[in-house]
Amino acid sequence: MKGNLIVFEGIDGAGKTTQIELLAKHLTEKGRRVYRTTEPTESVTGGLLRDALGGVSRRSPCEMAALFVLDRIFHNVNPVNGFNKMTADGVDVICDRYYYSSLAYQGSETDFEWVKRMNLDCPEIRSPDLCIFLDLTPQQSMERILKNRVTQDIYETEEKLEQVRNKFLTAIDALRERDHIRIVNAARPIEEIHREICEIVDALEM
Ligand code: TYD
């Protein structure tokens, strides 16, 4: 039995954390072993990324894109809990963000094609078995962010979110043939979204 790599994407405030939690519970109840993880990771590179995202240090858009690629390679290949190891062991991996985020965020700040090639052509960055894109308008997202957060990260302004969402949709369009991607309307009650996600995931080969 192999594990699946399921990634969640969406602009900030789309509800990834909540839906990941619910999906992990659903899969566990079905008897699957589940490993939850995020990008940036807990690696040294992930630390550099978080410093830059939080404004502690300054990095250029290309530096950010390259650091995300390095962090993502580590996420795939590290022998302890990398994607390759976990899925080979039969564990389902649920990852909060993946290369679609690089295409959307770094792709809107620097050369989109370069970011795309760096990620998609890398032999050590695999395609997920499923990408769930939680879609929300920037206005809806901003409302949620302002209600729930004390701090905002550098990408959280409505104009920026609009730009990022458009890049996400461009990236999804470009990758439709290559990757298994599902767009889920995130402007609905939590339970309704969860049910749709369960149906999609339950249809995966396990
Ligand atoms: P996120 O995972 O949503 O955590 P939170 O919103 O709870 O702080 O945010 C991580 C940030 O990293 C988010 O602003 C998007 C950004 N990011 C990129 O710019 N490129 C990437 O490739 C990834 C994975 C994340």
Side-chain angles (χ1 to χ4, degrees):
M1 184 177 71
K2 75 166 182 93
N4 283 308
L5 171 61
I6 301 166
V7 308
F8 277 75
E9 292 280 8
I11 56 176
D12 300 282
K16 292 189 302 299
T17 310
T18 306
Q19 291 301 331
I20 286 172
E21 225 160 79
L22 291 171
L23 178 63
K25 189 161 165 274
H26 170 76
L27 287 169
T28 308
E29 281 169 5
K30 275 182 36 173
R32 305 280 298 179
R33 281 179 299 151
V34 177
Y35 172 65
R36 285 174 52 179
T37 182
T38 65
E39 291 194 359
T41 70
E42 293 304 315
S43 72
V44 175
T45 312
L48 296 176
L49 284 163
R50 273 190 299 277
D51 282 351
L53 288 165
V56 174
S57 59
R58 284 179 71 87
R59 299 263 178 202
S60 78
C62 289
E63 279 183 287
M64 291 299 280
L67 285 170
F68 272 114
V69 165
L70 179 57
D71 194 38
R72 192 159 294 131
I73 293 172
F74 170 82
H75 215 181
N76 275 266
V77 304
N78 96 71
V80 179
N81 53 9
F83 296 156
N84 297 343
K85 157 90 170 106
M86 295 308 262
T87 55
D89 287 351
V91 177
D92 287 325
V93 178
I94 308 180
C95 185
D96 186 340
R97 297 191 183 278
Y98 200 42
Y99 52 64
Y100 312 89
S101 280
S102 285
L103 272 56
Y105 291 83
Q106 283 64 56
S108 56
E109 297 210 310
T110 181
D111 188 293
F112 179 81
E113 285 301 320
W114 176 68
V115 176
K116 185 174 152 202
R117 278 202 311 276
M118 217 178 10
N119 279 277
L120 302 186
D121 295 351
C122 175
E124 291 182 340
I125 295 180
R126 68 194 252 187
S127 288
D129 296 288
L130 171 67
C131 166
I132 303 262
F133 177 67
L134 292 175
D135 193 28
L136 205 61
T137 66
Q139 295 76 10
Q140 291 162 329
S141 155
M142 213 53 211
E143 275 167 32
R144 289 195 191 170
I145 290 171
L146 295 176
K147 215 164 62 190
N148 300 327
R149 306 260 172 99
V150 193
T151 57
Q152 272 178 257
D153 80 27
I154 56 170
Y155 294 117
E156 292 174 344
T157 67
E158 199 169 310
E159 193 194 343
K160 188 78 217 177
L161 290 171
E162 176 83 57
Q163 209 182 2
V164 169
R165 176 172 180 249
N166 289 338
K167 284 284 178 199
F168 261 127
L169 295 173
T170 306
I172 287 170
D173 221 43
L175 294 178
R176 266 249 159 84
E177 303 282 304
R178 178 189 190 265
D179 287 1
H180 181 194
I181 308 172
R182 295 292 296 266
I183 299 178
V184 171
N185 173 7
R188 292 180 298 160
I190 289 172
E191 267 307 314
E192 203 179 307
I193 301 168
H194 173 56
R195 272 198 301 277
E196 183 179 344
I197 292 172
C198 287
E199 274 174 30
I200 299 169
V201 170
D202 289 345
L204 291 176
E205 207 177 297
M206 299 278 178

